[in-house]
Amino acid sequence: MATSTSNGTTSAQSWKEMSKPEVGDWRVKGGLAQMLKGGVIMDVVTPEQAKVAEDAGAVSVMALERVPSDIRRDGGVARMSDPDLISGIIDAVSIPVMAKARIGHFVEAQILEALGVDYCDESEVLTPADNEYHIDKWQYKMPYVCGARNIGEALRRIGEGAAMIRTKGEAGTGDIVHAVTHARQIQADIRTIQNMPAEELMSAARDFQAPYELVVEVHRTGKLPVVNFAAGGIATPADAALLMQIGVEGVFVGSGIFKSSDPAKMADAIVRATTHYNDPDMLAEISRGLGDAMPGIEANKVPQTEQLQTRGW
Amino acid sequence: MLRKIGIEAIEVRKVQQLSKIDGLIIPGGESTTIVKLLTRFEFIDHLRERVTSGMALWGTCAGMIVIARELADPYPIPLNLIDISVARNYFGRQVDSFEAELNIEGINGDPMRAVFIRAPIVRTIGKGVTRIASTDDGQAVAVKKGRVLATSFHPELTSDTRLHALFLKLAKEAQKDPRLNRSSERNIGSI
């Protein structure tokens, strides 16, 4: 991590110093995400599922009451999970445990932090609690991951204190198309910013609706200042490898594991595929005989009003 | 980071690559995951053989857990590449993670800024293992034996390269070790 540059432009460390004093805190938060790189984070709804995920080699689990495909099916208001469920999962595994809070619901976040959750996902999969504002994530020792569809959204979340970004995709569909779109969009935006002359960056910040300091940072480094994972619709080992080849640093698998016909096998296969994403021979072996992937919904046919990805501001 | 101090570094994903390196770093991550993948991709025997033949090895955080002799937990089963017993997540969960200044034996100058993330500590130390750093309350957080190094914290998250330089010295020694049968090109691997 750079601390300063010879020409005195803003660097990773200095914008963090400007925005928040606890630099160490920031490095410790982002550091955990660094440790998850190359790994798979799996949605689980019971301690037993959490064990299956850990045994398969997941680097972390997301503790939930319902996986996204069930939330989508059931409708209604989706909220933070029961603390008993989250604690049960925390006790069952030694890998870090993540949990979701509603967008803007800072009290759900306070509760998750009190429970000892290792990472909070301020997630569009739950029903938003605020139509305009996200959580001020700097106020927590617990680090945050947030969804994004483009660079503006990613940098706004990082500006609010998120220490990890994931694509939104379209959760609960088992259709990879929107995760691919979002991963590519973020990369395209990064290339655009990187190739701009410095005098265009302020207008770019205005157009992307992103904090200027972070646009400068992306211009300088050619990447997001935090770890970037893929999420939303990953259902097979090939899906995971596709996103890894496109350039994300790890994957979240929601409904894709425990809605498949053989979850333990699918979990194991997706972990292997994420490690060997660049090796077609391996991927062919890994993809054999896995049974049925989760039943999917074509994400492009989901009406706009029912899309989860449009939640978040 | 390694490239910054002029080292040829490769990412080790296949077991055959272990023959091409003088030193291996097992970095932070999730120890359960790392042990599972090392087992699944049949690394363990070959890795043990290379370390026994003198290859330099450095485990940080999860890497320290992986190479320990014994853990307080029933799993994962560590590889026993250095005679230490280790307590995982000693300081607590992520919200308890922190940074501290550390004095490390063999590192000159200012103390090192050390990042501890869900970090382990060394509980007991076997014969021939030296403790090279401790926390303020006396917990061992860096140890060394021969060419094997283990640290609780993450030098890969700060820009200080002094520990990397120390490891490079160990790898250079390893390169000259006839048991390793190494050619002239120099490599450090990281899994």
Side-chain angles (χ1 to χ4, degrees):
Chain A
M1 221 177 278
T3 47
S4 66
T5 54
S6 52
N7 61 6
T9 51
T10 316
S11 73
Q13 214 65 62
S14 57
W15 79 260
K16 281 157 208 157
E17 277 160 16
M18 282 188 302
S19 27
K20 288 289 143 181
E22 315 85 272
V23 178
D25 207 24
W26 170 262
R27 189 155 52 193
V28 162
K29 284 172 165 181
L32 178 58
Q34 295 286 342
M35 297 310 131
L36 304 176
K37 273 202 303 203
V40 182
I41 299 163
M42 300 181 190
D43 279 5
V44 297
V45 299
T46 62
E48 293 69 38
Q49 288 188 355
K51 290 296 290 177
V52 171
E54 184 177 49
D55 287 344
V59 291
S60 175
V61 289
M62 177 78 70
L64 286 166
E65 250 163 21
R66 293 175 290 171
V67 293
S69 64
D70 289 339
I71 292 176
R72 187 176 280 287
R73 186 199 60 208
D74 298 349
V77 177
R79 309 181 180 91
M80 176 191 80
S81 299
D82 186 326
D84 272 347
L85 173 105
I86 295 170
S87 298
I89 288 170
I90 286 176
D91 292 341
V93 293
S94 69
I95 53 179
V97 175
M98 303 190 174
K100 289 184 196 291
R102 283 181 265 178
I103 289 173
H105 206 313
F106 53 85
V107 174
E108 284 188 350
Q110 290 164 6
I111 292 171
L112 294 179
E113 184 171 62
L115 291 172
V117 164
D118 295 301
Y119 239 88
C120 177
D121 185 2
E122 187 184 15
S123 177
E124 71 282 1
V125 170
L126 305 184
T127 312
D130 193 312
N131 276 331
E132 205 160 348
Y133 305 111
H134 283 251
I135 298 170
D136 176 11
K137 294 170 268 289
W138 294 109
Q139 302 306 320
Y140 299 77
K141 287 197 81 175
M142 169 179 69
Y144 279 81
V145 54
C146 287
R149 292 174 298 169
N150 53 52
I151 195 80
E153 207 170 4
L155 296 184
R156 286 197 297 281
R157 298 296 87 79
I158 296 166
E160 291 157 0
M164 180 178 186
I165 291 293
R166 55 170 177 76
T167 62
K168 286 179 163 176
E170 189 53 35
T173 58
D175 187 344
I176 197 68
V177 65
H178 287 157
V180 168
T181 306
H182 300 161
R184 284 193 183 282
Q185 186 61 52
I186 290 172
Q187 288 182 348
D189 294 342
I190 290 174
R191 285 192 299 271
T192 303
I193 291 173
Q194 202 182 3
N195 292 327
M196 278 176 175
E199 64 268 26
E200 293 181 12
L201 295 176
M202 182 58 85
S203 296
R206 178 198 60 205
D207 295 342
F208 284 121
Q209 299 183 286
Y212 172 70
E213 291 76 10
L214 291 178
V215 172
V216 172
E217 174 70 9
V218 169
H219 173 68
R220 192 178 66 78
T221 61
K223 58 190 195 58
L224 286 181
V226 302
V227 171
N228 182 25
F229 271 46
I234 294 164
T236 67
D239 287 351
L242 172 67
L243 266 317
M244 291 295 287
Q245 286 197 28
I246 288 174
V248 301
E249 297 172 294
V251 298
F252 284 82
V253 187
S255 323
I257 306 272
F258 291 97
K259 291 290 175 187
S260 69
S261 63
D262 189 342
K265 218 170 182 178
M266 184 62 85
D268 175 271
I270 291 180
V271 169
R272 289 178 190 236
T274 306
T275 308
H276 291 284
Y277 66 91
N278 243 340
D279 185 334
D281 292 332
M282 266 310 213
L283 293 172
E285 262 328 293
I286 290 166
S287 303
R288 277 178 208 277
L290 297 178
D292 296 328
M294 69 175 281
I297 310 168
E298 195 181 333
N300 286 336
K301 293 195 176 143
V302 175
Q304 196 123 38
T305 49
E306 287 170 29
Q307 282 185 3
L308 302 176
Q309 58 178 280
T310 53
R311 298 162 162 185
W313 347 108
Chain B
M1 189 83 111
L2 290 168
R3 286 177 194 121
K4 206 160 99 185
I5 54 170
I7 305 181
E8 200 71 47
I10 59 171
E11 229 176 74
V12 177
R13 285 180 187 270
K14 294 199 165 161
V15 69
Q16 295 82 352
Q17 292 172 295
L18 287 177
S19 315
K20 300 190 176 129
I21 53 177
D22 309 311
L24 177 72
I25 298 176
I26 305 183
E30 280 309 313
S31 51
T32 336
T33 311
I34 296 173
V35 172
K36 270 179 189 134
L37 292 174
L38 286 175
T39 311
R40 207 173 287 165
F41 295 118
E42 295 167 359
F43 264 74
I44 294 178
D45 290 343
H46 199 54
L47 176 57
R48 193 183 309 285
E49 189 247 295
R50 295 299 285 172
V51 174
T52 316
S53 305
M55 183 177 78
L57 177 69
W58 182 12
T60 74
C61 192
M64 170 196 259
I65 295 169
V66 170
I67 66 176
R69 178 179 54 78
E70 188 186 46
L71 306 178
D73 314 59
Y75 70 91
I77 313 258
L79 271 51
N80 191 12
L81 298 172
I82 181 167
D83 188 2
I84 53 175
S85 72
V86 167
R88 301 167 73 203
N89 296 340
Y90 173 79
F91 301 97
R93 306 192 65 81
Q94 173 61 17
V95 293
D96 307 305
S97 296
F98 63 99
E99 293 190 13
E101 303 282 331
L102 276 189
N103 286 305
I104 300 169
E105 201 183 304
I107 303 285
N108 298 323
D110 294 337
M112 276 189 76
R113 188 84 184 157
V115 186
F116 292 85
I117 296 177
R118 289 167 45 93
I121 53 131
V122 179
R123 269 262 156 79
T124 62
I125 285 179
K127 228 174 99 188
V129 181
T130 326
R131 170 201 287 235
I132 58 170
S134 313
T135 56
D136 288 344
D137 59 349
Q139 301 296 340
V141 289
V143 294
K144 184 175 168 294
K145 183 184 182 184
R147 291 178 200 144
V148 182
L149 187 64
T151 55
S152 302
F153 50 93
H154 293 283
E156 69 270 33
L157 290 180
T158 51
S159 49
D160 194 330
T161 53
R162 286 177 293 171
L163 258 178
H164 292 74
L166 184 105
F167 184 66
L168 176 62
K169 247 199 311 202
L170 300 177
K172 276 183 178 159
E173 279 172 33
Q175 198 198 1
K176 296 192 193 109
D177 194 322
R179 292 174 302 168
L180 271 179
N181 196 19
R182 289 279 301 134
S183 58
S184 57
E185 99 271 27
R186 210 169 64 215
N187 264 326
I188 288 198
S190 171
I191 61 165

